[in-house]
Structures are given as structure tokens and as C-alpha cells.
Amino acid sequence: MYHLTRKLFFCLLSSISIYLINTTTTTLAQPPFLHHYCENAANYTQTSTYQRNLNATLTALPTTNNGFGFYNLTTTQGNDTVNSVALCRGDISPDACRSCVNDSIVNLRQICPNQKEATGYYDNCLLRYSNKFILGSTRISLYHFRQNRQNSTDVDEFNGYLRPLLTKLRGEAAAGGPLQKFAMGNTTGPGFSTIYGLVQCSPDLSEIQCSDCLENIINRIVLYFNGKVGGRILVPMCNFRYETYRFFNQSARVIRPPPPPPPPPSTPPPTPSIPGATTPPGIKNNTTQITIIITVVVIALVVIFVASLCIFMRLRKKKRQTTPPLTHENGHTETTNISTAESLQYDFITVKAATNNFSDENELGRGGFGTVYKGMLGNGNRIAVKRLARGSDQGDIEFKNEVLLVAKLQHRNLVRLLGFSIEGSERLLIYEFMPNASLDQFIFDPTKRTIFDWEKRYNIIKGIAKGLLYLHEDSRLRIIHRDMKASNVLLDEHMTPKIADFGMARLFKTEETQGDTSRIAGTYGYMAPEYAMYGQFSVKSDVFSYGVLLLEMITGQKNQYFQIGESLEHLLSFAWKSWRDGTPTNIIDPALKVGSGSMHDIIRSIHIALLCVQENVIDRPTMATIVLMLNSFSITLRVPAEPAFFIRSNTSPEMPLLHEYSSRSRSSQYSMNEVSISDFIPR
């Protein structure tokens, strides 16, 4: 009897909740969303189990606030699971948050009456529910962006202030912890104006997931908001907004990681006292004299110590000057010198023992500046040791350059410098060990290339692009690698690419864009024409090298030639002629053609590579644009012109450009006259 009554009670409760939600949906007029999306791939029917689960989930969702505006609830009955998430903007009050979530629940049910998956965005919150698992998910199927119609007077100057602000806020939000990943701030923009920015992630994302999500959408500024004084991009797991007016509540509570506790104060132990003891006559005068003597002695010792310290610091400074600071190609110097990295110095004997006295069995490869060995330290950590060639005239310069440069860089797609060692004429660099060696050992090896499918190659292509973007735009100084090639990309155990070998890299201030050199260094075949012929280099020089590397990844052959049966042809020439003649599949590695469902993506990548190797520097895209093109298939690509170093043949009939790919690619939904736009990503 008890169980029957309990069952009837819950049925009655469920019926009442369905009635209340449906009644509210049809009778209350809610404010319109900024944007909403109803996924039509899966629908449910009225009175179905999914509808009952959805009603129960959305009824209880407002009670799940984590205290900082994040709600999530999952209801499972039978096979119809409902997952729901709501997230309020981090600067709004609890009452405004609760009201926004309630409005979202009513409005989204009305707009998407029978869809199993739906998303709605208000200015203050978002609501999402789905029959799929959504907590911690980073899959993006739709970008929604809104822009301020006003243009800045100087696009490059405005972006030069905006990008560092959003990068700083991205780091703060990602490190916010499991309760709130939110950051807001401002910076002084051009003409003493102020730029305000706000970024946020769903707190169920990890720090890395949050950072990657924000990096993905912030990189789209150059495509959708380039020159606009305000804009925002909304995706379910992260968002950002910037304006030239304050649009957020600056006094809102924002979680920050707690600072480390201060060290406990040191207090002298109490002087023991003897009950009933008295000071004998004459002792008081002696105590005063002793105190004076001790004070004088202490002062004298302090003076001697300070004088000795000053002499030591002067000698040390003089010694430091014997190792000149890192000089930039344009003449200004980097004030940090090698002594600042003393904490990274390894004992030479230790490194020598780890590599078994630099034995041939431990040799990993040879380069222009020395040999690389594998090794194992006494604690079991594996390392890679670069031993610079003793006879190189540039050995000391390259060594110092690489230590100073790589020690400052922190990015998942850059190799990590662990330390260095100096002993007489020996110069050693100690790196993290990469078990899969370098990229060239995979793409140019006939056996390994056959198991190197397109998914692996495409992830490496995107990783290298992200690493170069960090060097060009997100590091403290603008860094141009100047020797980007397959052998300078290392692969870890997960096949994650790591850009290595910064011996030829050059630093610039953020406002500088190019330089000149009288010493051409690098690898022919990867060099941009303006660098190889005139010594002029810029971030676009790295873009050219990246384009050559991208073609090598697609063809599986080295850039100097392309083997066609018994004949050889220059890679760039053959790639361009194949593209021009409408036969781009001729250059694709046969290993990628077998059972590949990604031919459209491969052809698009050839298109991107040809844009990178344009002869005119202005015609090459930036790395930020390349990252966007690799991650968004809705962007229409420009038609490439004839590449640099194109070797003409006697028979070169005029043929139409490739139309097969262009007809299949979808045009961008971006419009200069619209304020609110959405960018769909194919599944």
C-alpha cells in the first residue's frame, strides 16, 4: 500500500510540473534571446519519456547553482538521458542570474518545442540542454558573433592593444578553478581611449580546455571584427566580449587563486626570568656599558658587510659584461643575459655520464650546429642533449641565443628547454626527450609514411601553426624562427608537434614587423624569396616556410623535388601546375588516398599551402589567419597566384583554375552590414 501511494504521489507531482511548465510557456511572454539554436537532428514526441525527463530536469535546474552562477543537472530514466547546463555572466548579481535562467527555461522550450538539443543566449546567461553528454565537452558546432558597427581609425594599432588584453584575461579565466572561470579588465587604447574586455568559460572545463576554447574564438577577431571597436563571440563552453565603453559591473566578485600564505613571523625566544631574583649593585652600570659596546660592534660589522656586498656586486656585474647580452637583428639589445639562467645550469660531468660519454649508440642526429644525443639522468628522467660543434664560429652566439630565448617560451607546441651546461669549450643544451624523434623521420620514410594517416598529419599541421602563432603574436617579444622545416619539428609520445632549434631565431618588439640581415642562415627550399635573395625577413618568412612544410606533409616528399615515376620536378612548381590544371590529387601521398574520407580537407590544405608560398609578402596570410582557416571550413579562401620559385616549362597551356574544390566549399556567412552572425561548423 505504501509503495502504491508513493508511486501515485510522484506521478501526480510529475503531471503538475508538466502542466506548470507548459502553461508558463504558452502564457508568459519572455524577452527574445540574443541568439538561439534548435538542433533538428533528434526530436521527441509529446508525453514521451524524454519529455518527462526534460520537464523534471528544467524544473530542478535552478536549484543547482554552485554559488557563482553555474547550474548543471542530468536526469536519466530509461534510455532517454537529459543533460542541462546554465551559466550566468560572472559580473551579474545572484537575483539577475536567477531571473535570467528562469527566463531561458521558459523561452527556449517555447522556441524549440520538440528538439532534444537546444541552446539559448541572453546577455546575462546561457542555457543548453541535450540528450548527449555536454559537461567538459569542447566540440563546437556553431559560433555566434555580434559586432559593433563602428570602425577604429587605425586597425593595426587598435588590434595591437586589444590582443594583449584578451590574452591576459584568457590566462586569468583559465586559472580560475572549478567554481568560476571568468575575468574582466581594461587597457588604455589608441588616442588615450579605453578598451574593456570580458572572457568566460564554463567552470567544468579544465584549465587547458578553457585556454584552448578562448584561444580558438579570440583568433577569429581578425576575420570577423578586424577594425571594429566592439564585438563578442558566443559558444556554449566559452565566450568573450570587448567594447570601448564599460559594459560590465567592475565591482563584481571574481574568484582568484588564493595567494601563498606568508611565512610565520620569527620572534626571539623569551628571556627566562628567575622569580625573586634582584640585580646586585654595580651590575646595572656594567650592563649599560656592555650594551653600548655590542651596539658599536654590530654597526661596524654591518658597515663592513654592506661594503663587501657592494664590492662583490660590482665585480659580478663586471664579470657579467664579459658575456654580451643578446643582440637583435636591428641593433637593440635584450637586457637579460646568460647569468639570469644560472638556475638552469647542469653539471657537465652529470650530462656526460647520462649520455654514456656522448657515445655513438646514443646519437639521435646531426645538424648544422652540432650533434644531438639521448641520455638518462640518475633520477630516471630521459633527456635530449644538443652538443654544439666546437669548430663553429657562431657556436657561442647560437648557444647563448637559444638559452635566452627558449627558456622564456612556454607553449605546448614548443620544445621545452630544461637547462644547459658549459665546460671549457663544451656547450650543451638539455631538452625534454621526444620519443618519436623529428617529423621528417615519419613523412619521408616509405614505411612509416604508410601508417601516418591524414588525421595524425592534420593534427600536427594545426599544432605547428599554433606554435608559430604564439611566437609571432602571443609571446612577450615577436619571435621569427627563420629555420622552420620538418627536421625542426619534434614529436612526443602522443605525436604532439614541438617546434625546436631556435639558434637562428630573431626577436622583435611587438610593434616591429621585419628586419634585415647580412648573414643568410637557414635551409634552402624553405626560405622565402625576399630572405634568400635580399636578407629581408618577417613573420611572413615563417609563413612561407610553413607553406612548404604543409606541402611536404601532404605529398610525403621533400621540397627540393617531386618524384613522378623516373622524373623529378620542383615541389612548388608541380603543386601549382596540378592546382591550375584541376588535378590536385596528383600530388597527394598515395598513402592518404587509400580509404581516405578526407579528400576535401586535403585539397583545402593544398589551397592554404599555396597561399602561404605566394611570392608577394602581402599576399601571404598571417599565422592567425592560417589557424582560423585550418579550424573553420566555412571560410572562403582567396584564389592563389603563381607561387615563388615557380620553374616554368616550355609547354604551359592556359588552363582554368581548380573549380572542383571551389564548388564544394561553402561560402562564409559573414556580412559587413549585419550586426549578429552565426558561423556553422560541419560535423
Side-chain angles (χ1 to χ4, degrees):
M1 184 67 180
Y2 166 76
H3 293 291
L4 180 60
T5 305
R6 186 168 179 265
K7 185 174 181 180
L8 289 173
F9 172 76
F10 278 109
C11 288
L12 180 61
L13 182 63
S14 177
S15 300
I16 293 173
S17 117
I18 294 172
Y19 172 77
L20 289 176
I21 290 178
N22 290 336
T23 303
T24 305
T25 301
T26 55
T27 59
L28 294 180
Q30 302 301 324
F33 285 117
L34 293 176
H35 179 73
H36 69 274
Y37 175 62
C38 306
E39 172 59 72
N40 293 313
N43 296 335
Y44 64 86
T45 57
Q46 298 296 322
T47 71
S48 65
T49 303
Y50 189 87
Q51 185 192 45
R52 289 195 299 270
N53 290 346
L54 181 61
N55 291 338
T57 301
L58 296 184
T59 300
L61 181 63
T63 67
T64 64
N65 189 354
N66 73 341
F68 294 91
F70 177 64
Y71 306 75
N72 76 89
L73 183 64
T74 297
T75 300
T76 300
Q77 183 179 344
N79 295 324
D80 291 308
T81 298
V82 177
N83 301 285
S84 65
V85 165
L87 177 65
C88 290
R89 215 171 73 182
D91 62 318
I92 67 171
S93 67
D95 289 342
C97 174
R98 187 164 46 252
S99 175
C100 185
V101 172
N102 288 333
D103 287 347
S104 300
I105 292 173
V106 174
N107 201 11
L108 196 57
R109 291 295 305 277
Q110 184 175 3
I111 297 173
C112 305
N114 63 343
Q115 281 82 11
K116 289 188 175 182
E117 184 174 349
T119 305
Y121 299 98
Y122 278 121
D123 192 41
N124 287 342
C125 70
L126 71 88
L127 171 67
R128 184 187 186 192
Y129 57 81
S130 173
N131 62 327
K132 304 185 182 81
F133 187 74
I134 56 179
L135 271 183
S137 171
T138 56
R139 184 182 65 85
I140 299 175
S141 58
L142 169 68
Y143 296 86
H144 178 71
F145 40 96
R146 301 172 70 85
Q147 62 178 216
N148 189 316
R149 296 184 182 214
Q150 182 181 351
N151 291 312
S152 58
T153 55
D154 189 323
V155 175
D156 291 336
E157 185 181 17
F158 186 84
N159 288 342
Y161 288 99
L162 174 62
R163 180 81 188 202
L165 171 64
L166 294 181
T167 299
K168 171 179 173 290
L169 295 179
R170 183 191 76 190
E172 292 178 3
L179 293 178
Q180 186 186 59
K181 286 183 166 62
F182 173 80
M184 56 188 174
N186 61 75
T187 187
T188 301
F192 300 102
S193 63
T194 302
I195 303 175
Y196 297 87
L198 177 153
V199 303
Q200 185 170 20
C201 289
S202 179
D204 57 292
L205 299 185
S206 68
E207 181 174 349
I208 293 177
Q209 287 175 323
C210 174
S211 180
D212 285 349
C213 184
L214 289 173
E215 180 183 18
N216 183 341
I217 61 176
I218 289 172
N219 283 340
R220 293 175 177 266
I221 289 176
V222 296
L223 178 65
Y224 300 125
F225 309 127
N226 204 22
K228 300 297 182 183
V229 299
R232 71 173 79 175
I233 291 184
L234 302 169
V235 297
M237 61 289 301
C238 70
N239 64 82
F240 78 84
R241 183 182 180 185
Y242 72 92
E243 302 286 352
T244 52
Y245 61 87
R246 192 169 70 189
F247 60 91
F248 50 72
N249 176 14
Q250 204 154 8
S251 61
R253 177 178 55 157
V254 180
I255 296 180
R256 289 286 177 265
S266 57
T267 57
T271 303
S273 59
I274 303 174
T278 59
T279 304
I283 294 299
K284 186 174 184 180
N285 292 336
N286 291 339
T287 301
T288 302
Q289 293 176 2
I290 293 172
T291 301
I292 294 173
I293 293 172
I294 291 175
T295 302
V296 172
V297 171
V298 169
I299 292 174
L301 290 174
V302 169
V303 171
I304 294 172
F305 175 78
V306 172
S308 302
L309 183 61
C310 291
I311 294 172
F312 173 77
M313 294 300 292
R314 175 169 291 188
L315 292 174
R316 187 178 184 185
K317 182 178 181 182
K318 187 175 181 180
K319 183 179 179 181
R320 284 181 179 179
Q321 291 175 349
T322 61
T323 302
L326 176 63
T327 302
H328 297 256
E329 196 66 35
N330 53 16
H332 72 270
T333 58
E334 180 72 5
T335 56
T336 307
N337 54 47
I338 201 168
S339 59
T340 61
E342 287 179 354
S343 62
L344 301 176
Q345 187 160 1
Y346 279 62
D347 179 67
F348 179 79
I349 301 299
T350 301
V351 181
K352 184 178 179 180
T355 59
N356 192 20
N357 195 18
F358 307 108
S359 64
D360 293 341
E361 306 88 67
N362 283 18
E363 183 178 317
L364 294 174
R366 294 177 181 266
F369 295 104
T371 308
V372 181
Y373 299 87
K374 65 181 177 180
M376 181 174 292
L377 298 173
N379 58 8
N381 289 340
R382 301 171 73 189
I383 56 174
V385 180
K386 181 192 235 181
R387 188 185 194 188
L388 297 185
R390 299 183 184 183
S392 173
D393 294 335
Q394 302 297 329
D396 287 346
I397 295 176
E398 311 310 330
F399 174 77
K400 179 178 60 202
N401 194 3
E402 201 155 354
V403 169
L404 296 179
L405 187 61
V406 183
K408 299 175 185 176
L409 304 179
Q410 296 292 329
H411 192 274
R412 72 183 60 190
N413 296 118
L414 303 182
V415 69
R416 185 162 61 95
L417 177 71
L418 302 178
F420 67 96
S421 181
I422 301 175
E423 179 77 14
S425 61
E426 293 281 4
R427 300 288 184 270
L428 307 178
L429 291 166
I430 296 92
Y431 291 98
E432 59 178 328
F433 180 73
M434 296 287 108
N436 283 316
S438 55
L439 178 60
D440 61 319
Q441 296 187 31
F442 277 86
I443 60 175
F444 302 141
D445 184 278
T447 303
K448 293 181 180 179
R449 196 169 68 230
T450 58
I451 59 172
F452 210 42
D453 61 23
W454 176 245
E455 182 180 0
K456 290 188 180 74
R457 298 193 201 194
Y458 199 57
N459 286 334
I460 292 172
I461 288 168
K462 292 191 291 185
I464 298 171
K466 287 183 179 181
L468 285 174
L469 175 61
Y470 171 81
L471 294 176
H472 290 178
E473 297 189 18
D474 291 340
S475 61
R476 185 175 61 86
L477 292 171
R478 190 187 301 274
I479 300 169
I480 300 172
H481 191 280
R482 293 207 305 172
D483 198 19
M484 193 66 248
K485 58 184 178 180
S487 60
N488 283 341
V489 177
L490 305 182
L491 303 172
D492 68 7
E493 63 272 17
H494 304 296
M495 301 301 286
T496 302
K498 310 266 188 178
I499 299 173
D501 204 336
F502 290 87
M504 288 292 97
R506 284 295 175 264
L507 312 185
F508 287 87
K509 293 180 180 178
T510 52
E511 67 270 16
E512 296 171 335
T513 58
Q514 64 181 24
D516 298 277
T517 182
S518 58
R519 184 171 68 92
I520 306 300
T523 305
Y524 287 105
Y526 293 94
M527 289 185 190
E530 70 277 4
Y531 179 51
M533 292 186 286
Y534 307 113
Q536 299 173 351
F537 59 90
S538 65
V539 293
K540 295 296 186 73
S541 308
D542 282 350
V543 170
F544 184 94
S545 302
Y546 177 80
V548 176
L549 177 56
L550 180 48
L551 286 175
E552 289 182 330
M553 292 284 287
I554 295 169
T555 62
Q557 300 203 37
K558 295 182 179 180
N559 65 70
Q560 292 93 342
Y561 58 85
F562 190 95
Q563 187 163 1
I564 313 168
E566 297 298 324
S567 61
L568 299 177
E569 186 161 357
H570 191 266
L571 177 58
L572 297 188
S573 301
F574 189 72
W576 164 250
K577 285 189 283 189
S578 298
W579 177 268
R580 180 199 61 193
D581 297 344
T583 57
T585 55
N586 288 350
I587 70 170
I588 297 174
D589 186 350
L592 298 178
K593 296 179 181 180
V594 180
S596 174
S598 306
M599 192 59 63
H600 179 258
D601 297 346
I602 300 174
I603 295 175
R604 179 182 172 85
S605 298
I606 298 173
H607 192 160
I608 295 172
L610 289 173
L611 292 176
C612 293
V613 296
Q614 296 292 281
E615 184 169 9
N616 193 335
V617 174
I618 299 176
D619 293 337
R620 299 174 207 155
T622 64
M623 289 311 305
T625 303
I626 292 170
V627 169
L628 279 177
M629 292 190 295
L630 292 172
N631 286 284
S632 178
F633 298 93
S634 62
I635 300 173
T636 301
L637 307 183
R638 291 186 296 105
V639 176
E642 186 178 280
F645 303 128
F646 175 65
I647 301 174
R648 304 176 187 274
S649 60
N650 294 329
T651 56
S652 180
E654 292 296 327
M655 296 291 290
L657 293 171
L658 177 67
H659 294 294
E660 175 189 358
Y661 165 75
S662 301
S663 65
R664 294 180 61 189
S665 64
R666 302 191 304 161
S667 62
S668 172
Q669 299 182 36
Y670 175 70
S671 171
M672 292 294 291
N673 299 320
E674 294 185 0
V675 177
S676 177
I677 311 130
S678 297
D679 182 11
F680 289 85
I681 302 301
R683 295 181 179 277

